[in-house]
Amino acid sequence: MAANATWTALTPTDPEHACPIGPVVDIVFSRWTTPILWTLNMHGRHRFVELERRIGKITPKVLTQRLRQLERDGLIVRTYHPEVPPRVEYEITELGRSLAPLFAHLSEWATTNLDSVEQARHDYDTDGAR
């Protein structure tokens, strides 16, 4: 971000415009969206069951909902192969791939700072003054 850049709300009283990145956070950083996008970006095209196995604790219902939303948002593409049995694959789009630098920065931040966050949480939780 440029040194002279400023953050300004579009309308000071409109909470939906108070933070210009709010819509991006809603799209990209829901509980299961990030692992889905990360997996498809790092490991390529996946079938539903492969995604489910790789991600872990996600339920089929939630995975289906998230995949539909990501397809609607243009971040992934769903390809149906009319075979017997039918085969469906999911792949990240160029729009989805454009988030890779953001994820890389967040990964770097996590590597650098999560120990400090854990220490701050520990200090907060063990402070007898609260």
Side-chain angles (χ1 to χ4, degrees), residues 8 22 27 39 43 46 50 53 64-65 71 82 94 107 114:
T8 56
I27 292 167
T39 299
H43 304 287
H46 274 59
E50 294 169 332
R53 286 184 192 136
T64 298
Q65 291 171 340
E71 184 181 12
E94 284 303 314
S107 178
L114 281 183

Side-chain angles (χ1 to χ4, degrees), residues 9-116:
L10 297 177
T11 4
T13 57
D14 186 356
E16 289 189 18
H17 294 107
C19 178
I21 65 167
V24 175
V25 171
D26 289 344
I27 292 167
V28 177
F29 296 108
S30 70
R31 162 103 192 220
W32 294 108
T33 298
T34 306
I36 293 168
L37 291 174
W38 182 275
T39 299
L40 293 175
N41 188 59
M42 297 300 291
H43 304 287
R45 182 180 322 139
H46 274 59
R47 293 176 73 173
F48 184 91
V49 173
E50 294 169 332
L51 267 174
E52 189 177 25
R53 286 184 192 136
R54 190 174 289 271
I55 292 171
K57 299 177 182 180
I58 191 169
T59 66
K61 177 184 176 183
V62 171
L63 180 56
T64 298
Q65 291 171 340
R66 292 283 76 209
L67 289 170
R68 285 182 182 155
Q69 186 62 51
L70 289 168
E71 184 181 12
R72 181 176 181 258
D73 292 338
L75 300 175
I76 66 167
V77 64
R78 177 184 184 269
T79 304
Y80 174 79
H81 301 277
E83 306 169 344
V84 178
R87 181 168 51 103
V88 176
E89 296 177 317
Y90 298 90
E91 190 171 8
I92 195 165
T93 63
E94 284 303 314
L95 181 60
R97 273 190 199 89
S98 71
L99 293 166
L102 174 63
F103 288 151
H105 286 298
L106 288 171
S107 178
E108 182 181 321
W109 187 91
T111 301
T112 303
N113 294 296
L114 281 183
D115 287 341
S116 298

